[in-house]
Each structure stands twice: as C-alpha cells, then as structure tokens.
Amino acid sequence: MNKILKAQFFVDDLSDDQKTVITNINGYIKQGLTGDTSSVAIIQGAAGTGKSVVLMELVRQYMTDSRYKTSLVVNHPELYKAYQDLAESIPNMKVKSIRRPTSLINYAQKNHKKYDIIFVDEAHLLYSKSEPYAHYRGQNQLTDLMNLAKVVVVVYDFDQVFQSKMYWDKDLLFKTIGSHPYKMFDMNFQYRMVASDEQVAWMDDLTAQKPLKAFPENSDFKFKMFDTAGELFENIKKRNKEVGMSRVVATSGFPRIDGRHNVEMDTFNLPWDEWDPQRTHWAKREGSITQVGTIYTLQGFDLNYVGMIIGPSFGYDKATDTMTIIPEKYSHKEIFKKRKDMKFTQDEYKTFIANVLNVLMKRGKYGLYLTAYDDALRQRLMELESEK
C-alpha cells in the first residue's frame, strides 16, 4: 500500500474517540441491514477531524466481506484516484466497487442492482440538482443512493460547500432523508494539524471576516507571513525537499493573461493545477511542486506544509480591520450558477468563497505559509506578525 495514502486514510492506533464512533456506526449499520426501509448514517465533522479514517475502517470491514453487497462513492476526481490505489492493496477489496456517484447511480438503475451498504465520502459534493452535462439526470444524488441501498453511510462537512449545484445544509439534508431513519455521528476532534485550538480558531476568524489579530504561537505548528509569493514559494520548495508533500495553493481570482491561466504575483508565476487522467493524484505527483493547487485537487488530502496565496477576491477594510470578500473578482464562475429550486444571496456566495480559503489553509499538518495578493491585506497581516 502506498505509504502516503496509508498514513492519511489508515491509522495503526485509532484514538478512543475514533474507536467509539466506529463501534456506534457498526451497531447502527447492523440494525439498518435488518430494516424495511433505507437508513442513513451521517458522519459529521470539520476539516481534519479524521472522518475519512473512520470511513475507511468501515469500508475495510464491510467491503472485504463477501456477505455484503457494497460500494464506495466519491464525487471528487482526485480522491477517487486515491481510493482506487488503496483498494488495489487491500486483500479481498474490489477496485470496481469504487465509483463516482453518477456512474454508480446510472449503472445500478440500468441494471436493477441493489446494495446492502453504500459508503459516500465528501457527501457535500453530491449533486443536489440535475446536472445533464455531467450525465446526471436525477434531482438529488443522495435520494438516488438511498433508493439503491439498505444503509447509506455519508460523510458531511457543511463548511466545505463551495458551489450551488452541490449545495447542502442541514435543512436540505433532513428534507432529502425525509421519513427514513437516520443517525448523526459527530466528530469534533482535530487530527490533521498539530495546530492548537486557538490557531485553528484564527483561521476560522479570518475567513469569517472578524477583526484581524496576530497568529497565536502556542504549538509546534509553524506559521509565517510572506511579503512576496516568490519568497513563499522558495520556502515551500525547501520544506518539500526536507519532508515532502509541501505545495503552493491559491484561491480563485487570477485572470487569464495572453491565453495563460497562471497565478502571477510579484516574482511568482506558475500555472494552476490541471486535471490529469493519470492515476497518481495531484498532491503526490512530483511535478505538482511547479503548479498551484486548488480546492479541486486538494480537498480531502493532507499536505505537510501548505503555502497559501489569498487571491484577488479578498481585500481589506481598514475601518473594521477585517479581511473582505469580493465576489465579483472570483473568477471561477461555477459557484454562481443559478438554480431553479433555490436562490442564493450575496452573503451566501461570499460564504462559498470563504469556505474555499478556510479548507485550503487547513491542508497542512505541520505548517501554514501565507501571503495575499491584495496589498492592503498583505501589509496588515505582515504588520500583525511583526508586532509579536
């Protein structure tokens, strides 16, 4: 099994909290398998709380047991690749049982297939509306998955919702589940980052547009502000040589210039990550050190150090001493796509954009290097660092 993937998705020594969640979900699954109607187990938690580790322990238990008809689905192309890699090295695990949700739904409906258990990672990426261009013509993928299985185990983080077509909140989730039995399994313990609670709160406060303050220095988590993206990149390359899995990431907002879609700032100029059909996921490819990662390649993955460039769609308000969000400068227009069944306010679009930044900042286990495209925002963050 690939060492990097094993370290992320399988833990030799599960914590007591994780063991308790797994035991409780196991009991709920066993109960659901004997029921007359589909039931839903909801694993809920913020980024870095070990949701995927818990899910994969359950996957390994049930998807290697021939008594059960099972499938694992994820609507994230890079995670899909990672799970395929993992499956190849797990005895009795069938790679073909891992699918994208649209693929599984279309296959099962066409062939009249039913399942005992369907596991869904990153369920907040399930389509909650029809997407014909993506070959999904249903109205809600969770509804369709519930119709296919006795038990559906879903992993949700409502703070990782970035697009209208994949919009989820608790109200929509419960409305979709309807009269079916369900149970919530909350995970509120941080495992990815070595950061303290106060340091995680600083990241949350920044993206919530609260008054700025200096980053707390009360753990082994390394934080550093950079005045240039070029210097940030040089330091990330050093970390990558030392410990590996260190990458530069950015939020949207950098325009195409002369046909190139690059992140350009001071001496820094590198292309955005690009979808690649090869099985090796972006974060693990050696060549990705010379690209800029986005939410579409890094959501669900761990890095050791992340170099975060806050893009042009974030500014600074001196009067309130807060970071601001400027939706009109956000260049990935997919998040603004209209829906017939619901409307979104400007503040909700701002929340989508803030969620992207929040998730990307939390990719690094051991450190966050930060800079900002907006001069005023960058200078204020640098000023706060120098005052410590």
Side-chain angles (χ1 to χ4, degrees), residues 122-153:
E122 306 282 347
H124 39 268
L125 299 181
L126 291 174
Y127 292 143
S128 55
K129 65 180 288 290
S130 178
E131 283 296 314
Y133 84 97
H135 308 292
Y136 176 65
R137 292 173 174 79
Q139 296 304 313
N140 185 302
Q141 289 188 323
L142 178 57
T143 299
D144 290 339
L145 293 171
M146 288 165 57
N147 289 334
L148 296 176
K150 293 179 181 178
V151 181
V152 182
V153 181

Short mmCIF file of all heavy atoms in Angstrom, two decimals, residues 122-153:
data_model
loop_
_atom_site.label_atom_id
_atom_site.label_comp_id
_atom_site.label_asym_id
_atom_site.label_seq_id
_atom_site.Cartn_x
_atom_site.Cartn_y
_atom_site.Cartn_z
N GLU A 122 -17.04 12.66 1.33
CA GLU A 122 -17.27 14.03 0.82
C GLU A 122 -18.69 14.15 0.25
O GLU A 122 -18.90 14.61 -0.87
CB GLU A 122 -16.23 14.39 -0.25
CG GLU A 122 -14.79 14.21 0.19
CD GLU A 122 -14.27 15.33 1.07
OE1 GLU A 122 -14.92 16.39 1.15
OE2 GLU A 122 -13.20 15.16 1.70
N ALA A 123 -19.68 13.74 1.05
CA ALA A 123 -21.07 13.74 0.56
C ALA A 123 -21.59 15.14 0.28
O ALA A 123 -22.57 15.30 -0.45
CB ALA A 123 -21.97 13.03 1.57
N HIS A 124 -20.92 16.15 0.81
CA HIS A 124 -21.29 17.53 0.50
C HIS A 124 -20.96 17.89 -0.95
O HIS A 124 -21.28 18.99 -1.41
CB HIS A 124 -20.60 18.51 1.45
CG HIS A 124 -19.18 18.13 1.77
ND1 HIS A 124 -18.84 17.35 2.85
CD2 HIS A 124 -18.03 18.39 1.11
CE1 HIS A 124 -17.54 17.15 2.86
NE2 HIS A 124 -17.01 17.78 1.81
N LEU A 125 -20.32 16.96 -1.68
CA LEU A 125 -20.06 17.17 -3.10
C LEU A 125 -21.08 16.43 -3.98
O LEU A 125 -20.99 16.49 -5.21
CB LEU A 125 -18.65 16.68 -3.47
CG LEU A 125 -17.48 17.38 -2.77
CD1 LEU A 125 -16.15 16.80 -3.24
CD2 LEU A 125 -17.51 18.88 -3.00
N LEU A 126 -22.03 15.75 -3.37
CA LEU A 126 -23.09 15.12 -4.16
C LEU A 126 -23.94 16.20 -4.83
O LEU A 126 -24.19 17.26 -4.24
CB LEU A 126 -23.99 14.27 -3.26
CG LEU A 126 -23.41 13.00 -2.66
CD1 LEU A 126 -24.40 12.38 -1.69
CD2 LEU A 126 -23.03 12.00 -3.75
N TYR A 127 -24.39 15.94 -6.04
CA TYR A 127 -25.28 16.89 -6.71
C TYR A 127 -26.62 16.91 -5.98
O TYR A 127 -27.22 15.86 -5.71
CB TYR A 127 -25.50 16.48 -8.16
CG TYR A 127 -24.28 16.60 -9.04
CD1 TYR A 127 -24.02 15.66 -10.04
CD2 TYR A 127 -23.38 17.65 -8.89
CE1 TYR A 127 -22.91 15.75 -10.85
CE2 TYR A 127 -22.26 17.75 -9.70
CZ TYR A 127 -22.03 16.80 -10.68
OH TYR A 127 -20.92 16.89 -11.47
N SER A 128 -27.10 18.11 -5.72
CA SER A 128 -28.43 18.26 -5.14
C SER A 128 -29.39 18.83 -6.18
O SER A 128 -30.46 19.33 -5.85
CB SER A 128 -28.38 19.16 -3.89
OG SER A 128 -27.80 20.42 -4.18
N LYS A 129 -28.99 18.75 -7.44
CA LYS A 129 -29.83 19.14 -8.56
C LYS A 129 -29.40 18.36 -9.79
O LYS A 129 -28.31 17.76 -9.80
CB LYS A 129 -29.74 20.66 -8.84
CG LYS A 129 -28.36 21.09 -9.30
CD LYS A 129 -28.28 22.59 -9.56
CE LYS A 129 -29.02 23.02 -10.81
NZ LYS A 129 -28.35 22.55 -12.04
N SER A 130 -30.21 18.38 -10.81
CA SER A 130 -29.88 17.71 -12.06
C SER A 130 -28.68 18.39 -12.72
O SER A 130 -28.58 19.62 -12.72
CB SER A 130 -31.09 17.75 -13.00
OG SER A 130 -30.78 17.16 -14.24
N GLU A 131 -27.76 17.59 -13.27
CA GLU A 131 -26.60 18.11 -14.00
C GLU A 131 -26.43 17.29 -15.28
O GLU A 131 -25.54 16.44 -15.37
CB GLU A 131 -25.34 18.03 -13.13
CG GLU A 131 -25.24 19.11 -12.07
CD GLU A 131 -25.15 20.50 -12.66
OE1 GLU A 131 -24.36 20.70 -13.62
OE2 GLU A 131 -25.88 21.40 -12.20
N PRO A 132 -27.28 17.54 -16.29
CA PRO A 132 -27.24 16.74 -17.52
C PRO A 132 -25.87 16.73 -18.20
O PRO A 132 -25.47 15.71 -18.77
CB PRO A 132 -28.29 17.41 -18.40
CG PRO A 132 -29.23 18.06 -17.44
CD PRO A 132 -28.37 18.53 -16.31
N TYR A 133 -25.14 17.86 -18.13
CA TYR A 133 -23.83 17.90 -18.80
C TYR A 133 -22.86 16.92 -18.16
O TYR A 133 -21.89 16.47 -18.79
CB TYR A 133 -23.26 19.32 -18.78
CG TYR A 133 -22.53 19.66 -17.51
CD1 TYR A 133 -21.15 19.57 -17.41
CD2 TYR A 133 -23.24 20.08 -16.38
CE1 TYR A 133 -20.49 19.87 -16.24
CE2 TYR A 133 -22.60 20.39 -15.21
CZ TYR A 133 -21.22 20.28 -15.13
OH TYR A 133 -20.57 20.58 -13.97
N ALA A 134 -23.11 16.57 -16.89
CA ALA A 134 -22.28 15.59 -16.19
C ALA A 134 -22.95 14.22 -16.19
O ALA A 134 -22.59 13.34 -15.41
CB ALA A 134 -22.02 16.04 -14.76
N HIS A 135 -23.95 14.06 -17.07
CA HIS A 135 -24.66 12.78 -17.26
C HIS A 135 -25.50 12.39 -16.06
O HIS A 135 -25.85 11.22 -15.91
CB HIS A 135 -23.68 11.66 -17.62
CG HIS A 135 -22.78 12.00 -18.77
ND1 HIS A 135 -23.24 12.15 -20.06
CD2 HIS A 135 -21.44 12.25 -18.81
CE1 HIS A 135 -22.23 12.47 -20.85
NE2 HIS A 135 -21.13 12.54 -20.13
N TYR A 136 -25.82 13.37 -15.17
CA TYR A 136 -26.71 13.07 -14.06
C TYR A 136 -28.05 13.76 -14.32
O TYR A 136 -28.12 14.99 -14.35
CB TYR A 136 -26.14 13.53 -12.72
CG TYR A 136 -27.11 13.30 -11.59
CD1 TYR A 136 -27.49 12.01 -11.23
CD2 TYR A 136 -27.70 14.37 -10.91
CE1 TYR A 136 -28.41 11.79 -10.22
CE2 TYR A 136 -28.62 14.15 -9.90
CZ TYR A 136 -28.98 12.86 -9.56
OH TYR A 136 -29.90 12.64 -8.58
N ARG A 137 -29.09 12.94 -14.48
CA ARG A 137 -30.40 13.49 -14.82
C ARG A 137 -31.43 13.32 -13.71
O ARG A 137 -32.60 13.60 -13.88
CB ARG A 137 -30.91 12.85 -16.13
CG ARG A 137 -30.08 13.28 -17.32
CD ARG A 137 -30.43 12.54 -18.61
NE ARG A 137 -29.70 13.11 -19.73
CZ ARG A 137 -28.43 12.87 -20.03
NH1 ARG A 137 -27.73 12.06 -19.25
NH2 ARG A 137 -27.85 13.43 -21.07
N GLY A 138 -30.97 12.86 -12.55
CA GLY A 138 -31.84 12.80 -11.39
C GLY A 138 -31.99 14.17 -10.77
O GLY A 138 -31.55 15.18 -11.31
N GLN A 139 -32.62 14.23 -9.60
CA GLN A 139 -32.82 15.50 -8.93
C GLN A 139 -31.96 15.66 -7.68
O GLN A 139 -31.71 16.77 -7.23
CB GLN A 139 -34.30 15.66 -8.56
CG GLN A 139 -35.23 15.72 -9.75
CD GLN A 139 -34.87 16.82 -10.73
OE1 GLN A 139 -34.61 17.96 -10.33
NE2 GLN A 139 -34.82 16.48 -12.02
N ASN A 140 -31.51 14.53 -7.11
CA ASN A 140 -30.72 14.58 -5.89
C ASN A 140 -30.00 13.25 -5.74
O ASN A 140 -30.63 12.20 -5.66
CB ASN A 140 -31.63 14.84 -4.68
CG ASN A 140 -30.85 15.05 -3.39
OD1 ASN A 140 -30.09 14.19 -2.97
ND2 ASN A 140 -31.07 16.19 -2.75
N GLN A 141 -28.66 13.28 -5.71
CA GLN A 141 -27.90 12.03 -5.70
C GLN A 141 -28.06 11.25 -4.40
O GLN A 141 -28.03 10.03 -4.40
CB GLN A 141 -26.42 12.31 -5.99
CG GLN A 141 -26.18 12.72 -7.44
CD GLN A 141 -24.72 12.80 -7.80
OE1 GLN A 141 -23.90 13.22 -6.98
NE2 GLN A 141 -24.39 12.43 -9.02
N LEU A 142 -28.25 11.95 -3.28
CA LEU A 142 -28.46 11.22 -2.04
C LEU A 142 -29.77 10.45 -2.09
O LEU A 142 -29.83 9.28 -1.67
CB LEU A 142 -28.45 12.18 -0.84
CG LEU A 142 -28.72 11.53 0.52
CD1 LEU A 142 -27.71 10.41 0.81
CD2 LEU A 142 -28.69 12.58 1.63
N THR A 143 -30.81 11.06 -2.63
CA THR A 143 -32.09 10.36 -2.79
C THR A 143 -31.91 9.09 -3.61
O THR A 143 -32.41 8.01 -3.25
CB THR A 143 -33.13 11.27 -3.47
OG1 THR A 143 -33.35 12.42 -2.65
CG2 THR A 143 -34.44 10.54 -3.68
N ASP A 144 -31.19 9.21 -4.72
CA ASP A 144 -30.98 8.05 -5.59
C ASP A 144 -30.18 6.96 -4.88
O ASP A 144 -30.47 5.76 -5.02
CB ASP A 144 -30.27 8.48 -6.87
CG ASP A 144 -31.16 9.31 -7.77
OD1 ASP A 144 -32.39 9.23 -7.63
OD2 ASP A 144 -30.62 10.06 -8.61
N LEU A 145 -29.16 7.35 -4.11
CA LEU A 145 -28.35 6.36 -3.39
C LEU A 145 -29.17 5.67 -2.31
O LEU A 145 -29.02 4.46 -2.08
CB LEU A 145 -27.11 7.04 -2.79
CG LEU A 145 -26.09 7.56 -3.80
CD1 LEU A 145 -25.02 8.38 -3.10
CD2 LEU A 145 -25.44 6.41 -4.58
N MET A 146 -30.04 6.41 -1.64
CA MET A 146 -30.91 5.82 -0.63
C MET A 146 -31.85 4.78 -1.25
O MET A 146 -32.18 3.78 -0.62
CB MET A 146 -31.72 6.91 0.08
CG MET A 146 -30.88 7.78 1.01
SD MET A 146 -31.74 9.31 1.49
CE MET A 146 -33.23 8.65 2.23
N ASN A 147 -32.26 5.02 -2.49
CA ASN A 147 -33.14 4.07 -3.17
C ASN A 147 -32.41 2.80 -3.59
O ASN A 147 -33.05 1.81 -3.96
CB ASN A 147 -33.76 4.73 -4.40
CG ASN A 147 -34.80 5.78 -4.04
OD1 ASN A 147 -35.40 5.72 -2.96
ND2 ASN A 147 -34.99 6.76 -4.91
N LEU A 148 -31.07 2.84 -3.55
CA LEU A 148 -30.29 1.69 -4.01
C LEU A 148 -29.78 0.82 -2.87
O LEU A 148 -29.34 -0.30 -3.11
CB LEU A 148 -29.09 2.17 -4.82
CG LEU A 148 -29.37 2.91 -6.13
CD1 LEU A 148 -28.06 3.40 -6.74
CD2 LEU A 148 -30.11 2.01 -7.11
N ALA A 149 -29.79 1.33 -1.63
CA ALA A 149 -29.13 0.59 -0.54
C ALA A 149 -29.98 0.52 0.72
O ALA A 149 -30.80 1.41 0.98
CB ALA A 149 -27.80 1.27 -0.22
N LYS A 150 -29.74 -0.53 1.51
CA LYS A 150 -30.39 -0.64 2.81
C LYS A 150 -29.83 0.40 3.79
O LYS A 150 -30.57 0.97 4.59
CB LYS A 150 -30.18 -2.05 3.38
CG LYS A 150 -30.87 -3.15 2.60
CD LYS A 150 -30.58 -4.51 3.22
CE LYS A 150 -31.25 -5.63 2.44
NZ LYS A 150 -30.93 -6.97 3.02
N VAL A 151 -28.50 0.62 3.70
CA VAL A 151 -27.85 1.61 4.57
C VAL A 151 -26.92 2.46 3.72
O VAL A 151 -26.15 1.93 2.91
CB VAL A 151 -27.02 0.93 5.69
CG1 VAL A 151 -26.39 1.99 6.59
CG2 VAL A 151 -27.88 -0.02 6.51
N VAL A 152 -27.00 3.76 3.91
CA VAL A 152 -26.08 4.69 3.25
C VAL A 152 -25.29 5.40 4.35
O VAL A 152 -25.88 6.01 5.24
CB VAL A 152 -26.82 5.73 2.38
CG1 VAL A 152 -25.81 6.64 1.69
CG2 VAL A 152 -27.70 5.03 1.35
N VAL A 153 -23.96 5.28 4.29
CA VAL A 153 -23.09 5.94 5.27
C VAL A 153 -22.45 7.13 4.57
O VAL A 153 -21.71 6.96 3.60
CB VAL A 153 -22.00 4.97 5.79
CG1 VAL A 153 -21.11 5.68 6.81
CG2 VAL A 153 -22.64 3.73 6.40
#
